[in-house]
Amino acid sequence: MTHVSSMLETYPKGLGQTDQQKLADCIAACFECAQTCTACADACLAEDMVAELTKCIRTNLDCADICETTGKVLSRHTGYDANITRAVLEACRTACKSCGDECGKHAEMHEHCRICAEACRRCEKACADLLTLMG
């Protein structure tokens, strides 16, 4: 069991009809993606061809910020507002698609971009799955 799941289970008021496993998976995917995107941006900065990776670096950093924020929002349940949660999940899904596509362009040349694209795809799917549950 992860700390994410453990914390969700300890919420004093309960989480209603939320699928706790899908929520835990999405929170974990968001934080993992944020870390991976941050590390990928840093690795891109260390490449000899850094000038050709400007868009990738920017997309990585934007995605990292959005994923981190999404993970934080999903971790809070008191005073829940489904409209905010839905909007942040949509933004995260969009950022992950963009970043995954950009990193995918460099995946054959840079292993860190391949790994990042995979993390983005996982997070994009986790956000989409949670959005589907929300209706």
Side-chain angles (χ1 to χ4, degrees), residues 11-34:
Y11 187 69
K13 305 284 185 188
L15 298 176
Q17 297 191 13
T18 302
D19 182 327
Q20 286 190 25
Q21 189 56 56
K22 291 249 189 244
L23 179 58
D25 291 347
C26 192
I27 292 168
C30 286
F31 287 129
E32 179 181 79
C33 192

Side-chain angles (χ1 to χ4, degrees), residues 33-34 37 58-68 95-96 99 120:
C33 192
C37 287
R58 170 60 190 263
T59 307
N60 274 307
L61 294 175
D62 288 348
C63 190
D65 288 345
I66 293 167
C67 286
E68 182 179 1
C96 287
C99 192
C120 288

Side-chain angles (χ1 to χ4, degrees), residues 67-87:
C67 286
E68 182 179 1
T69 298
T70 302
K72 288 178 179 181
V73 169
L74 293 176
S75 296
R76 296 190 286 260
H77 304 285
T78 304
Y80 172 76
D81 184 330
N83 292 322
I84 292 172
T85 300
R86 198 173 289 110

Side-chain angles (χ1 to χ4, degrees), residues 34-69:
Q35 185 279 326
T36 304
C37 287
T38 300
C40 188
D42 186 64
C44 285
L45 287 169
E47 294 289 351
D48 292 335
M49 57 184 290
V50 69
E52 296 170 33
L53 295 168
T54 302
K55 184 173 182 188
C56 192
I57 294 164
R58 170 60 190 263
T59 307
N60 274 307
L61 294 175
D62 288 348
C63 190
D65 288 345
I66 293 167
C67 286
E68 182 179 1
T69 298

